[in-house]
Amino acid sequence: MDQYTLNLLFVGASFALYIGIAIWARAGTTGEFYAAGRGVNPIMNGMATAADWMSAASFISMAGLIAFVGYDNSTYLMGWTGGYVLLAMLLAPYLRKFGKFTVPEFIGDRFYSQTARIVAVVCLIVASVTYVIGQMTGVGVAFSRFLEVDNTTGLLIGAAVVFFYAVLGGMKGITYTQVAQYCVLISAYTIPAIFISLQLTGNPIPALGLFGEHSESATPVLAKLNQVVTDLGFNEYTAHDGNTLNMVLFTLSLMIGTAGLPHVIIRFFTVPKVADARWSAGWALVFIALLYLNAPAVGAMARLNITDTMWPNGVQGEAVSLEAIQNSEELDWMRTWEQTGLLGWEDMNGDGRIQYYNEGSAAIAGLAEERGWQGNELTNFNRDILVLANPEIANLPGWVIALVAAGGLAAALSTAAGLLLAISSAISHDLIKSAINPNISEKNELLAARISMAVAICVATWLGLNPPGFAAQTVALAFGLAASSIFPALMMGIFFKRINNTGAVAGMVAGLGVTLVYIFLHKGWFFIPGTNSFTDAEPLLLTIKSTSFGAVGAVINFAVAFAVARATEAPPRHIQDLVESVRIPKGAGAATADH
């Protein structure tokens, strides 16, 4: 059976499963649409949370960014994992005890203000739409390769699938779909990693293989990788070469952004009790760890395999020939990925070979001149293709390649569905029902939720055609927006009785506004290419890139909120009592807002 047919079988079977589950578990009430009727088992919810949280950025993009940069991009691992712990410990149980459907609903009731609720809706939509762009980018990459269509067509197909099962199923359908998607994505990530670890180190556990010995050279894997990349003029893989200030701020931005992500937070509203929210968080961390422990090994081993592919006999030998790329069965993956526009090469010096090296490095300039190289001839290697191409690069069986296709799509679609639900519930429940038409019927509210979700899919798809970066980089911008706007409001709402509605609104507006402007200055206004005034290589403020500014925005949010709250009247006594009630560990009945 050829590879294309295998891809269709695996992807088609997984999609049939997701759509079947959506039909079986379709939402019939707003309670089921927003919170799955609050009846989800903690283990199931933990698995669904893991799938919701491990997006295309985690599955498709993160290992690629680590592979091509090394240690400095381990910030993605540290920030996202640390942020999840922050969310599980500081926010999830308290928000579940409050007993509302959505994050803006909590903010509106805690800060006794319709304005605060509407501002929270705006913050949520801005962060979530930016996040969905990253997911749609990943969907386009996966579909373009495995259905052998162009990137735009792949994006449109993925949007249609999300539209069907997310709009139909709501939270109830999405929850059980995400359980299935987790099983698919973790299998698709782990199985190739085990195969490749066995190939390179003889160890079936990738995380241990990374620190083991390379089978052929009998040297430690990381030591061999350091040697290979420095021979090509790149920075040492395990060395810290980036700016420390930016690295710290980026990690912090990812951490607090994770804790402020609405699509993850609403998952904790689906369990029966506060204790179940804690157990859900614990189980989710276990399920997340299964992927995150393997990611560094996947990135490092893939970089080693790519380098060996481009230099079969090492840098002192000859580079891979154009004839081999065009005719070799082992390099069929290069020809296929070239068709997507995400991989490219050019024989600049006309020697019939493709030299891959760092043309900007002084260390290799002498060798390049001596051997007549005219520049790096691997002109395009999109970081988002690495995990998907990894089993092909390692010449693994066709069924493994097809499984990875299904896994990449599962990761992107599961998070996209969760984000779209967060957006639709914010618009229908927090904007339309709360502010515009309080007397709307449940049927019409459900219709409004589905229409707003459909519109959000269309907007995200359009923006996904020209994303402001690789999937993980785009997602990092969304984390920064959540960090600067939603996280401080939630923290102050739970732990600081003195913060009033005026302070909370001023803080959210200031944090979101300054972060959004900083991002647009570097990535283009509304992400339109060519409208930026600065770049992340030459940022506006010190060495702080746009992906790291969320931490600065959060500090501004906190500072403005505290200053304004101190200068204005304290919250009413019943609101302060409400905050005390939310922080009591046992029970879930007392935490309701007075109107």
Side-chain angles (χ1 to χ4, degrees), residues 125-171:
I125 290 172
V126 170
S128 297
V129 168
T130 305
Y131 202 153
V132 176
I133 297 170
Q135 305 318 302
M136 301 314 286
T137 303
V139 168
V141 170
F143 268 120
S144 65
R145 163 61 187 91
F146 294 108
L147 297 183
E148 298 181 13
V149 295
D150 63 76
N151 197 54
T152 300
T153 305
L155 187 59
L156 295 175
I157 294 170
V161 174
V162 174
F163 179 90
F164 185 87
Y165 79 78
V167 171
L168 178 68
M171 178 60 87

Side-chain angles (χ1 to χ4, degrees), residues 1 4-16 18 184 398-406:
M1 188 179 295
Y4 181 73
T5 306
L6 270 175
N7 294 342
L8 286 180
L9 283 174
F10 274 73
V11 172
S14 64
F15 280 7
Y18 307 151
V184 172
W399 67 268
V400 178
I401 296 169
L403 179 62
V404 170

